[in-house]
Amino acid sequence: MSEPNKETIRQQLRAQRRALGAAGREEQMSRITEELLPWLEDHAPRRSVTCFLSYGSEPPTAALLERLDEAGYLVHVPICEPARRLSWTRWFPGVAMNRSAVGPIDEPVGERRGTEMMADVDVIMVPAQAVDEHGDRLGQGGGYYDRFIAELPGPGLRPQLISIVFDHEFLAPGSFPVELFDQRVDAVVTPAGVRNLTT
């Protein structure tokens, strides 16, 4: 009997996220935010971070974005470009938004920058369907973040990578297939707290 492939596991995890319901997702994300903000105080000395704009049943980041702005962080969010590439633009409350040309989400209007701006960023918040104890990450399947992370310098020379997942999505190694192009994250935050995955 063959092991489940990535897409089968993604479908299962998406179903579990939907089953939490909007209130359950918001409740877990509220706890995640309370764990994440103190960690950022210690890991983002320049107060410059990226955060993704959530959609569907992803951990909802709208309130987190507001909290980051209130705390004085410079926040950039990803823009989906053709050929499954990412660029980055500023987010702040009230920023003008337009529909993405390549995905079902609204994105801020503003100057778009590439990997060169990451020299000034402390922490990249990386979306994930699941993360395991080795830092391996199961994404949405588009490969946007894997391509982007692969273009950055190695650990210690690039921003720290942290994924945001719900309680049940922090898994044991071997819970999902990992391929050579999959990029690891340095840490994970769940409602239970932040775990460093690089030691």
Side-chain angles (χ1 to χ4, degrees), residues 28 31-32 165-170 190-192:
Q28 285 207 36
R31 290 160 50 207
I32 286 169
V165 295
F166 295 129
D167 278 322
H168 65 279
E169 296 167 342
F170 182 44
T190 72

Side-chain angles (χ1 to χ4, degrees), residues 77-196:
V77 296
I79 303 294
C80 295
E81 303 283 6
R84 298 190 175 187
R85 313 296 290 191
L86 291 177
S87 65
W88 302 85
T89 195
R90 279 284 316 279
W91 180 92
F92 50 88
V95 65
M97 306 284 279
N98 274 345
R99 194 67 166 176
S100 169
V102 297
I105 191 169
D106 290 337
E107 298 170 329
V109 175
E111 179 188 3
R112 298 183 180 191
R113 300 179 64 192
T115 54
E116 76 285 348
M117 67 158 285
M118 293 298 150
D120 300 318
V121 170
D122 296 307
V123 174
I124 299 169
M125 297 179 213
V126 184
Q129 288 283 320
V131 174
D132 74 16
E133 294 167 2
H134 290 161
D136 287 311
R137 165 185 159 272
L138 182 67
Q140 294 281 7
Y144 285 88
Y145 272 85
D146 290 317
R147 290 181 183 85
F148 164 70
I149 295 168
E151 294 175 354
L152 298 176
L157 300 173
R158 55 158 165 75
Q160 291 198 60
L161 310 176
I162 186 168
S163 277
I164 296 171
V165 295
F166 295 129
D167 278 322
H168 65 279
E169 296 167 342
F170 182 44
L171 304 174
S175 297
F176 51 84
V178 177
E179 299 174 73
L180 287 176
F181 58 79
D182 291 328
Q183 300 292 317
R184 286 182 168 177
V185 295
D186 304 310
V188 63
V189 58
T190 72
V194 179
R195 289 276 300 271
N196 178 21

